[in-house]
Amino acid sequence: MITSQILHKTLKDNFGFEKFRVNQEQVINAILSGQDALAIMPTGGGKSICFQLPALLLSGITIVISPLIALMKDQVDSLKANGIAACFINSTQTEIERQSHFDSLRDNKVKLVYVAPESLSYLENLFSQISISLIAIDEAHCISSWGHDFRPAYTNLGYLKKRFPSTPVLALTATADKATRKDISKQLSLKKPMSFISSFDRKNLSLEVRPALDRVKQIIDFISNKPSESGIIYCLSRKTTEELAEKLQKAGIKAKAYHAGFDNSIRSRTQDDFINDDCQVVCATIAFGMGIDKSNVRWVIHYNLPKNIEGYYQEIGRAGRDGLPSETILFESYGDVIQLQKFASQGLNAEVQLAKLERMKQYADALSCRRKILLSYFGELVTENCGNCDICKSPPDFFDGTIIAQKVLSAIIRLKESEPLPVIVDFLRGSKNSYIFEKEYQNLKTYGAAADISWYDCNQYIIQLINQGYCEIAFHQQNNIRLTSLAREVLFEGEKVQLTTVQKNILEKTGSKDLKTKPAANSLFEKLRKLRYEISKEENVPAYVIFSDAALRQMENKRPMSDAEMIAIDGVGKAKLEKYGDAFINIIIEFQKNKTVKPKKEAGTYKETLLLFQSGLTVDKIALKRKLGLGTIISHLAKLYLDGETLDLHQFVSKQEVKLIYDAHLILEKTTALKPYFDYLEEKLGYDKIRLALAIIEKENRPT
Ligand code: ADP
Ligand code: ZN
């Protein structure tokens, strides 16, 4: 009888994890009791453990069917790093290599063998000589022509159940839709499979949509804040991937382009570089990602609007498989919508494609929690707002936009419903450009009626009116804007229109985000990362195979300095402790030592900051000049202030903001850690402001 205690011990000893994720233990129990099972978990949900762990407890061999050769290698590398004997069989190997794997299988020396469905025939002769305890079919949706990744070779897998009727079969996939699910069980001839369906919610992914205004600059600013974090930027066209990669390279970012037009060798090189942390950013078409198991993709950006929600969710799903917070940003542009609409209407199945695009657009234009919209699309009903999307973090402000709406709608009438959006904006704002004069639009009524609204805002308001159905884009007629029947009610029947304030100065907004402290190159995390990178090069495996980002973060926070402390870290099992424990512990001890001798040295460094500040230099300039992070300079100022220097900190943090932080200070029981404030204030105030405000509060509260 295998108890939960044994399962947990196996999990910790071999994989280093303390707890099971949702449904893992249940799936494992089903298999161990000899049943077939179907496990549906989102990407990053932890499907692999569901068959890797039972493989260790069962006496025979576990066969894992997996569609991609690159993935097999990474999975086998990960198992080996955990001290688990595994191998893979595929057509790229030499006959000699394969024979040696066959020998190990015959001698029962490996617990798991990975094989592509196309290569199953290699194992055929072995089947009578080895004992097979479990058959796991990864990416099982590939069996279904309903799905989006149909692989013909998968359709032959049904014979496995017939050949091994009493061996449990576990099918795994991240594809939710019901038709595919049914098809999987049927085609694999599963016997009364137990289904385990996890929620598709990926709470660790933040969701954000931004207007595409100046998106290259926005992207460069964003990446500059995370100089060592891997990310993917999805673009609509091959050309854009190349152009964008070039712009990023010019800004000093290690970026590469990837699309199906490149040679195979170039593509796999780019993919390897990304997986191995040698290339930070990949600008790619949707061709990129399927073969990537990299757990530390920290962010995903959509440079263009995706065609549908399925694709979008799959693509953002590539971020944060290790469960750490990860960011996703979608840039929405009116131009993209028009282009996609054109593609969709010309392609196969136009009606369905257009409807899917419409849902995508509604998501991007949403004024309520985005995660709710996503999950409801996949048939999951949630009642709570998520708190981790841009709408939840800063809900839109509504105002009475009736007058603006009336102006816009009458302008459209004056222009005879025969002009596209940009011309309407120019017209409303009283632009004096040649087109307007050529058409003599300056003589029409409502010309210049919205001269007091900025071009950008005016444009956004009209888009909102389109989204609310008062007017529409005539895609087949040069994208001219036309009225709908709803417009009448606004113009003649006194219907009120609600608009939302346009997110003010998105660039300013992202600019202020830049105030966030950059990760310091000499932080413990970076040192651990560097060691991990070096080991990964020596062992020729991806860095995340050595330790996940999540494990390194825990080491940074808990600072384990003995074997016993190290094995308590999630992700450190016995094998990894043995192999890597000392090296990582040494880095931590070294770091602690340096930290404790530092203060003496630092007196001078504060002084230097003080002198530069008193000479009138801005904080940015001081940071540049001293080659220190902005955050470091800010912390110097806070310290100097507390030490009694007279500095005007209110130029960085207003009295009102200090008040907010003061209130939080009381509620948070006067903690001195910064993150609780950041979270409590819903990320509205950056760490620098919090740090300075706390200094002000502390000084005011000191007994004099
Ligand atoms: P999937 O195949 O479902 O996308 P993986 O099996 O690759 O997911 O697991 C994703 C990540 O989560 C991996 O880094 C894995 O090591 C980690 N993981 C899996 N199970 C656990 C667990 N019980 N506790 C902590 N981390 C886990
Ligand atoms: Zn939300």
Side-chain angles (χ1 to χ4, degrees), residues 207 368-372 384-393:
L207 306 169
S368 60
C369 176
R370 292 195 204 276
R371 200 171 311 263
K372 271 192 184 165
E384 296 270 301
N385 287 339
C386 79
N388 195 19
C389 73
D390 50 349
I391 305 282
C392 283
K393 286 177 192 162

Side-chain angles (χ1 to χ4, degrees), residues 17 19-21 24 42-49 295 321 570:
F17 301 135
K19 285 188 293 238
F20 284 105
R21 290 209 179 138
Q24 282 178 332
T43 313
K47 286 186 275 301
S48 317
I49 294 285
S295 71
R321 295 172 78 135
D570 224 17

Side-chain angles (χ1 to χ4, degrees), residues 126-164:
L126 277 186
F127 281 165
S128 54
Q129 305 168 45
I130 58 179
S131 129
I132 296 171
S133 296
L134 168 64
I135 299 167
I137 300 180
D138 207 0
E139 311 287 354
H141 59 279
C142 294
I143 204 169
S144 170
S145 49
W146 290 99
H148 42 86
D149 299 320
F150 177 58
R151 309 249 305 189
Y154 261 73
T155 50
N156 296 325
L157 294 176
Y159 92 95
L160 284 171
K161 191 70 210 178
K162 290 180 192 117
R163 181 103 207 303
F164 303 100

